[in-house]
Amino acid sequence: MLRAAVVGASGYAGAELVRILSGHPDVALSVITSRQYAGVAFDTIYPALNGFVKLDCEGSEPTAVAKNSDIVFLALPHKASMAMVPGLLDAGRRVVDLSADFRFNNRDAYEAHYQVHTCAHLMDKAVYGLSEIYGEKVAAADLVGNPGCYPTSVLLPLLPLIKEKLVDPATVIADCKSGVSGAGRGANQATHFCHVNESFKAYKVGGHRHTPEIEENISLCAGRSVKITFVPHLVPMTRGMESTVYVTTSPRVDEMLIRQCLESHYHDKPFIRLLPGGRFPDTLHVRGTNFCDIGWAVDPGSGRLVLMSAIDNLVKGAAGQAVQNMNLMFGFDETAGLGGVPYPL
């Protein structure tokens, strides 16, 4: 059995990792850490896992984590991950980092939106863990930068169409909505129940940190620098993410060509569900799963393509994709630990 450590297990993404890994057929959950809850039984923090997880939280000293693990998941705030990664790699451990620290190839782009990178020499070593797009590179990687939730939901429907030159990447407008868990477990006024309930609002317009992550991957795919318009919104639900992407098509591109392109790229990808014509994604139908549901339509008035996707921001947008990347890295079935049947309601 592969020994897995989850560092930062008490946060939402960390807890989701613990939940998924506790049911993985090829993994033994060996270490869970939490600075805030060191010494506390995990099922005290998350009682839903009573009887499934029988570990206490530990401190996150890198040597101890490395000694008792083969794969380490870092569910830490930005900058905290980069402090641990060099020691883990030196100890021969493979790492999936859920922060933004190793999602970028461009150091300047990272530092402009986050902070100074203290181990930038590892940025070239890291593989961007968008499983369906970079799976072959992920399989050979020792360090994977797990994508953000918004980038996952925008890039999966869009990149195959850009690669095949069916759309103009310079015209991308991404209009995205997320449940409140995307803001993390820490309490703040913006995510207080009284401010979120009965509310729907845009936030960080023109300045969200996921914008450069999306732009870097679109630019790499397009072979030229691309800037997009990205507007995130907060909706009053716990989990779920829906992205609507508006983009201008190339001449003579219709809905059938869009389908043929997406089917060609994703026919063997178990977590991509391409919806029939006239059906559009709904966050309810991917809740608790690693699926990305994709739908589309061409607006007859403008001729513009409307791409839509739905994911669970904590699963496909974080912990589930991290486990999917681990499966690729160690040669497991890609769906191992992630095959739960979705709730119908």
Side-chain angles (χ1 to χ4, degrees):
M1 297 286 280
L2 188 74
R3 300 173 303 160
V6 178
V7 178
S10 59
Y12 289 148
E16 199 75 5
L17 274 166
V18 171
R19 179 185 73 84
I20 294 169
L21 292 170
S22 67
H24 196 293
D26 303 302
V27 171
L29 191 59
S30 58
V31 179
I32 54 177
T33 84
S34 171
R35 183 178 62 180
Q36 182 179 2
Y37 294 102
V40 177
F42 192 77
D43 62 7
T44 300
I45 308 166
Y46 288 99
L49 296 179
N50 183 16
F52 293 91
V53 179
K54 300 178 181 179
L55 293 174
D56 293 350
C57 293
E58 305 176 19
S60 55
E61 200 280 317
T63 302
V65 171
K67 180 180 178 181
N68 295 295
S69 64
D70 304 302
I71 175 76
V72 180
F73 295 91
L74 298 177
L76 294 171
H78 313 305
K79 197 169 186 178
S81 288
M82 71 177 77
M84 290 193 67
V85 165
L88 294 172
L89 294 179
D90 287 345
R93 301 301 173 254
R94 302 176 84 176
V95 178
V96 178
D97 176 28
L98 278 74
S99 82
D101 287 358
F102 295 97
R103 292 176 186 165
F104 288 80
N105 288 328
N106 187 324
R107 177 178 181 174
D108 291 340
Y110 174 86
E111 293 187 342
H113 291 84
Y114 292 90
Q115 62 270 312
V116 174
H117 207 297
T118 58
C119 50
H121 63 287
L122 293 176
M123 295 179 79
D124 289 339
K125 180 182 179 66
V127 171
Y128 188 67
L130 193 62
S131 307
E132 284 78 13
I133 304 297
Y134 302 116
E136 291 185 5
K137 292 182 178 180
V138 168
D142 291 324
L143 173 59
V144 170
N146 213 58
C149 47
Y150 281 125
T152 295
S153 69
V154 171
L155 294 171
L156 284 175
L158 192 56
L159 289 185
L161 305 179
I162 293 174
K163 181 179 180 181
E164 301 300 333
K165 303 186 186 317
L166 298 185
V167 298
D168 179 0
T171 66
V172 169
I173 299 172
D175 177 27
C176 306
K177 293 90 175 172
S178 175
V180 183
S181 60
R185 192 164 183 249
N188 65 73
Q189 184 172 323
T191 57
H192 190 288
F193 176 83
C194 294
H195 292 273
V196 174
N197 186 44
E198 303 293 344
S199 169
F200 174 67
K201 60 187 176 184
Y203 67 100
K204 295 184 179 177
V205 179
H208 196 284
R209 286 173 165 181
H210 283 173
T211 304
E213 182 182 336
I214 298 170
E215 290 176 341
E216 179 171 281
N217 283 275
I218 290 178
S219 298
L220 288 169
C221 185
R224 57 189 173 94
S225 179
V226 175
K227 298 297 182 182
I228 69 165
T229 298
F230 168 55
V231 183
H233 299 75
L234 190 66
V235 296
M237 61 185 185
T238 300
R239 59 167 77 206
M241 177 168 288
E242 195 275 345
S243 290
T244 304
V245 178
Y246 309 95
V247 61
T248 300
T249 62
S250 301
R252 293 178 294 282
V253 171
D254 58 16
E255 291 183 14
M256 183 57 68
L257 276 175
I258 300 299
R259 179 171 295 279
Q260 290 172 355
C261 176
L262 292 175
E263 286 180 345
S264 173
H265 280 262
Y266 289 140
H267 70 278
D268 60 346
K269 305 302 181 185
F271 294 115
I272 302 293
R273 300 195 299 191
L274 303 178
L275 302 185
R279 279 181 53 191
F280 305 119
D282 186 327
T283 59
L284 179 67
H285 304 152
V286 295
R287 186 173 182 271
T289 80
N290 200 51
F291 289 115
C292 176
D293 283 1
I294 299 174
W296 60 92
V298 174
D299 178 6
S302 66
R304 191 172 290 114
L305 174 64
V306 182
L307 285 168
M308 294 150 281
S309 72
I311 64 172
D312 185 317
N313 59 295
L314 293 178
V315 187
K316 186 59 173 170
Q321 185 156 226
V323 172
Q324 185 180 357
N325 283 323
M326 177 201 70
N327 288 340
L328 293 169
M329 293 165 76
F330 287 90
F332 301 144
D333 186 307
E334 190 171 349
T335 65
L338 297 165
V341 177
Y343 298 112
L345 295 173

